[in-house]
Amino acid sequence: MWKFDFSLISKFRSELMGIAAIGILICHAGANKVALGPLLPIFNMGQLGNALFFMLSGFGLYFSLSRTESNIIAILKWYKKRLVRILVPYLFWCIPFFLYQLVVYPNTNWLDWIYVFSLLSYWDGSGGVAWFLSVLIALYVISPLLYKALLLKNKVSANTIVFAIISLLAYCFSPENVTIRLICSNMPNVLAFILGMAFGVFSQKGFQINVVWFFVSGLIAIALYYINKAHQEAHMFHFGSCLLALPLLYLFFRNVNHDFKGLR
């Protein structure tokens, strides 16, 4: 009754994706002064919708990579399949903007325009049309490496905790280099993605966790959010990533000596 089975993430992945999408819409609606009552602060704290979406993306990519052979040809085919799923819809989405720009501003510097819509401009601080896709594609590119690192020596929980510590420490830094600063600021999203991959492992192994820890995690996360919010000089704590990370910390300490074997 009080146990959460990680395989439920797979069973209800579409519904969870819907919740994440609604959460993202709610956050943007709030920025446009739309009254949403208690829903706005819930989803607006630490980008909960984004954290959930990144987690589910990592969850799905774990299973995709676990079915992919470990050779260059297979990985290249995997890249092609995954990136096409993102880029083709994005290119169709760009067409109306291209036509509008062509008609209204025929003297546009098209090299600059293409650079912005290539999603690369986000990483030099000059902005972009879809920061979310810029970060997600970067994660797709490095996900085979993340997958290997996560399964290193079959110590999935320990490896994930290392990722979590590195991610949350990096998030506290704000270096002068724009690209590095953007990478640091996105570390909670990276953490949510890695946690999703770890949850894929736990789902595959049939692990369960007491749901009480999710409620405890939520209360701690909300407290940390408001503590940081009270200090303007402090970084805003990502509620979404905390909500995902704390149950995993509990799972790690409970299974610290567990050796994950036979994952492939």
Side-chain angles (χ1 to χ4, degrees), residues 62-73:
Y62 165 75
F63 286 100
S64 176
L65 285 166
S66 68
R67 295 190 293 267
T68 302
E69 295 182 15
S70 298
N71 59 70
I72 295 178
I73 295 176

Side-chain angles (χ1 to χ4, degrees), residues 68-253:
T68 302
E69 295 182 15
S70 298
N71 59 70
I72 295 178
I73 295 176
I75 293 297
L76 289 176
K77 288 182 178 179
W78 182 87
Y79 274 129
K80 179 181 178 181
K81 181 179 179 181
R82 305 304 303 192
L83 293 177
V84 163
R85 287 186 177 182
I86 295 178
L87 294 178
V88 170
Y90 175 68
L91 291 175
F92 276 103
W93 179 79
C94 291
I95 290 174
F97 293 93
F98 172 79
L99 295 176
Y100 174 81
Q101 195 81 5
L102 185 65
V103 173
V104 179
Y105 303 104
N107 296 322
T108 296
N109 184 327
W110 292 104
L111 287 178
D112 288 344
W113 190 91
I114 291 172
Y115 180 61
V116 170
F117 275 85
S118 71
L119 303 172
L120 295 174
S121 61
Y122 171 75
W123 295 108
D124 67 10
S126 57
V129 293
W131 74 267
F132 186 89
L133 282 181
S134 298
V135 177
L136 188 63
I137 289 174
L139 286 171
Y140 271 39
V141 170
I142 65 173
S143 56
L145 295 176
L146 293 177
Y147 174 83
K148 290 292 185 182
L150 185 68
L151 298 182
L152 185 64
K153 295 185 178 180
N154 291 325
K155 299 293 185 181
V156 178
S157 290
N159 295 335
T160 306
I161 295 304
V162 171
F163 276 125
I165 293 172
I166 292 173
S167 298
L168 294 177
L169 286 177
Y171 179 63
C172 296
F173 290 96
S174 184
E176 292 184 3
N177 183 279
V178 175
T179 301
I180 297 176
R181 185 165 66 248
L182 284 169
I183 292 173
C184 290
S185 67
N186 276 288
M187 289 312 290
N189 295 323
V190 176
L191 174 57
F193 185 86
I194 293 170
L195 288 172
M197 297 185 82
F199 288 169
V201 179
F202 300 147
S203 173
Q204 193 178 61
K205 300 297 290 184
F207 277 18
Q208 296 180 337
I209 188 172
N210 195 313
V211 296
V212 171
W213 286 99
F214 284 97
F215 291 106
V216 172
S217 300
L219 292 174
I220 295 173
I222 291 171
L224 289 170
Y225 173 84
Y226 282 108
I227 289 171
N228 281 271
K229 190 176 182 180
H231 299 82
Q232 296 299 320
E233 73 280 1
H235 285 270
M236 190 63 71
F237 194 89
H238 270 54
F239 171 80
S241 293
C242 184
L243 185 64
L244 295 171
L246 291 178
L248 185 67
L249 288 170
Y250 164 75
L251 192 67
F252 165 66
F253 287 118

